[in-house]
Amino acid sequence: MHKAPRGTLDILPEEQAYWRYIKQKIIHACQLYGYERIDTPAFEDTSLFNRSVGEGTDIVEKEMYTFEDKGKNKITLTPEGTASICRAYLEHGFHNLPQPVKLYYITSIFRYERPQAGRYRQHHQFGYEAIGDDDPALDAEVIDMAWQFLKSLNLDHLSLQLNSIGCKKCRPLYLSALKDYYMSNNQNLCPDCKNRLERNTLRLLDCKNPQCQQTANAAPKSSQYLCPQCDDHFKQLQRYLTILDLSFVVNHRLVRGLDYYTKTVFEIQPETEGAQSTLGGGGRYDDLIAELGGKPTPAIGFATGIERIILNLKKQNVSVPPLPKPQVFIAHIGNEARDFSIKIAAILRRNGIAVIVAGGSRSLKAQLRQANNFGSHHVIIIGEQEVKTDTVILRSMTTAQQRTIPINELPALLQ
Ligand code: AMP
């Protein structure tokens, strides 16, 4: 028996109500904040991610689905959404449009991770990017949209965590102070952190090991090393968030897992569970477009995992509207009635009424039971007599009342 590959999920019909609910809220939020949809390929040249996500990151080092195709091209299934959007921005000359260009996507993300609840090898992200503006008011707007979107799903008990990790000018100073600090605390670090110390010092701050967390708590803070521009940007951002009435926590250990971030980084987490189950995160990436060959172009974005949103909706017992089902079921007795039922179904569907026709030739009782299982409101019953008189029996499943209706009156009545 074949099974879905480890770390992947079938999205079954019973789950689809959640997906539709979330997608409707996405469309609404994007419309409110002025984002347009973009879809990019499920794979890109591997070099795009090496360049953007960064060689020293977990994603590039351990998690990418990379292969050589039959034309000897090195290909990677998208491990995150931002790099493709920036590639598309450059490829299609979007710098000629009024800035910032605001784009959103819903896409499959592939990462070779150790599967567990809320962590899969293929998941789906809704993300959005505002490219071409460095105003901290835009950072605040991007954060506000993320927050309002999650709230619009009726999720509660969320916490907004914020930090600034500086820019090319001030970050080296901070990194050097951080490295010195960790070198002198080397004996307290887990093997993973010891490994990362040289290549990706920032990531030591979000290690989940309890002893490393203690060490991280006392580490130098990036906000103490910001250059005047980054410092002002961070202060302005906090001022705008206050105007927007958003509460936030400045979390000095928040760094995010990708190399391209500059200045603002933020995450939204369920209050009770912390960073392990982050609902979404984002930040500014002012150097990425230039890194990919464009002119220096500041930008900021956010992404959230749809499967993880669904887990939280279920945990918080948020009910979502059920998907519409056919309300009319056609039962038939005898061969002629069966042919007639096919005709009636066609007439109703052409009039926009969704119907299910009973399969096979079971007893009327069995067919009514089936209609009940489908949750149909009405059953149309067709026997010999109805075929002869061009009528049907219409039965209400709630009251069990039945009446005979001429077929030419049926569509209007059911509508
Ligand atoms: P990231 O691109 O790592 O910042 O992830 C953005 C969001 O995607 C996270 O906050 C999660 O909601 C979700 N996410 C990330 N990785 C996974 C995964 N392996 N499985 C399910 N959801 C994920």
Side-chain angles (χ1 to χ4, degrees):
M1 270 260 276
H2 289 292
K3 287 192 158 182
R6 190 164 136 76
T8 66
L9 294 176
D10 293 317
I11 306 169
L12 299 176
E14 68 214 38
E15 290 287 298
Q16 297 292 342
Y18 287 99
W19 287 79
R20 193 186 68 158
Y21 174 69
I22 294 167
K23 283 182 184 166
Q24 282 177 342
K25 302 286 185 189
I26 290 174
I27 291 169
H28 185 62
C30 289
Q31 198 239 327
L32 281 180
Y33 288 79
Y35 284 76
E36 289 181 299
R37 170 119 187 197
I38 181 167
D39 291 291
T40 55
F43 56 84
E44 299 270 359
D45 291 339
T46 302
S47 55
L48 175 68
F49 303 115
N50 289 348
R51 203 63 203 264
S52 55
V53 178
E55 304 270 5
T57 59
D58 279 358
I59 292 184
V60 168
E61 276 198 344
K62 303 188 228 161
E63 295 174 359
M64 295 206 304
Y65 280 88
T66 295
F67 58 96
E68 202 175 82
D69 68 9
K70 292 198 165 60
K72 303 252 176 269
N73 306 299
K74 229 170 166 210
I75 292 295
T76 297
L77 303 183
T78 47
E80 63 96 44
T82 303
S84 302
I85 307 300
C86 292
R87 196 261 311 134
Y89 175 94
L90 288 169
E91 187 169 340
H92 303 289
F94 284 177
H95 57 276
N96 294 318
L97 301 175
Q99 309 288 302
V101 174
K102 293 167 137 189
L103 301 168
Y104 81 95
Y105 59 86
I106 301 172
T107 193
S108 287
I109 298 291
F110 305 89
R111 292 180 188 172
Y112 188 79
E113 300 207 67
R114 198 146 51 83
Q116 50 188 287
R119 189 169 295 285
Y120 313 104
R121 290 184 174 167
Q122 178 185 2
H123 71 277
H124 296 79
Q125 285 189 4
F126 155 50
Y128 53 91
E129 317 288 343
I131 306 178
D133 191 350
D134 64 1
D135 190 335
L138 180 63
D139 302 43
E141 187 191 275
V142 163
I143 294 173
D144 184 51
M145 174 165 161
W147 184 263
Q148 301 306 334
F149 163 68
L150 292 169
K151 296 298 273 186
S152 78
L153 294 164
N154 284 332
L155 285 173
D156 254 326
H157 312 295
L158 303 177
S159 130
L160 169 60
Q161 314 263 321
L162 190 66
N163 197 11
S164 172
I165 55 171
C167 66
K168 308 201 258 253
K169 267 191 296 178
C170 52
R171 189 145 22 133
L173 275 181
Y174 173 57
L175 284 181
S176 137
L178 195 62
K179 207 176 269 180
D180 288 348
Y181 168 80
Y182 272 114
M183 292 285 201
S184 57
N185 284 281
N186 200 320
Q187 70 285 0
N188 300 328
L189 299 179
C190 72
D192 245 8
C193 282
K194 281 184 180 153
N195 257 330
R196 279 180 176 156
L197 180 51
E198 277 301 326
R199 287 171 300 118
N200 202 343
T201 322
L202 272 186
R203 289 311 301 276
L204 269 64
L205 291 172
D206 68 2
C207 179
K208 307 291 180 288
N209 177 301
Q211 189 167 6
C212 293
Q213 293 198 348
Q214 268 186 11
T215 314
N217 281 336
K221 299 177 168 61
S222 57
S223 56
Q224 295 163 335
Y225 290 81
L226 298 178
C227 62
Q229 286 90 341
C230 287
D231 188 50
D232 184 55
H233 193 276
F234 195 34
K235 288 198 174 111
Q236 290 297 330
L237 166 60
Q238 295 179 57
R239 194 176 67 79
Y240 286 122
L241 291 177
T242 311
I243 293 175
L244 287 165
D245 218 8
L246 290 183
S247 340
F248 57 88
V249 180
V250 175
N251 175 353
H252 299 286
R253 289 177 38 205
L254 182 66
V255 291
R256 316 260 313 129
L258 300 89
D259 271 4
Y260 52 61
Y261 288 112
T262 50
K263 297 193 180 116
T264 310
V265 288
F266 69 100
E267 281 188 356
I268 298 178
Q269 299 168 359
E271 253 164 11
T272 45
E273 286 161 78
Q276 295 274 24
S277 57
T278 300
L279 264 169
R284 198 163 254 296
Y285 48 92
D286 288 347
D287 303 327
L288 180 54
I289 300 265
E291 187 67 32
L292 296 176
K295 287 188 299 190
T297 308
I300 176 162
F302 169 80
T304 173
I306 297 180
E307 286 83 354
R308 216 168 276 180
I309 291 178
I310 294 175
L311 275 180
N312 280 274
L313 288 171
K314 289 181 178 170
K315 248 185 225 169
Q316 297 192 12
N317 289 321
V318 176
S319 57
V320 301
L323 294 180
K325 283 190 179 174
Q327 301 282 298
V328 180
F329 184 93
I330 306 184
H332 44 81
I333 308 133
N335 286 340
E336 281 177 35
R338 185 177 154 70
D339 289 356
F340 197 60
S341 72
I342 291 170
K343 188 171 139 189
I344 301 286
I347 292 172
L348 293 179
R349 287 177 182 141
R350 283 160 185 56
N351 279 282
I353 298 159
V355 297
I356 297 174
V357 184
S361 51
R362 278 180 270 184
S363 69
L364 181 60
K365 201 168 156 201
Q367 293 184 57
L368 288 179
R369 209 175 312 125
Q370 206 185 358
N372 205 27
N373 290 342
F374 276 120
S376 311
H377 286 187
H378 288 95
V379 177
I380 289 170
I381 301 170
I382 304 171
E384 247 174 65
Q385 181 62 24
E386 285 70 39
V387 177
K388 276 192 203 132
T389 53
D390 262 350
T391 59
V392 300
I393 296 171
L394 184 63
R395 177 186 174 96
S396 156
M397 290 300 276
T398 34
T399 62
Q401 275 183 347
Q402 299 193 169
R403 54 193 172 131
T404 298
I405 313 281
I407 54 171
N408 57 0
E409 290 174 20
L410 189 60
L413 188 70
L414 286 171
Q415 267 161 354

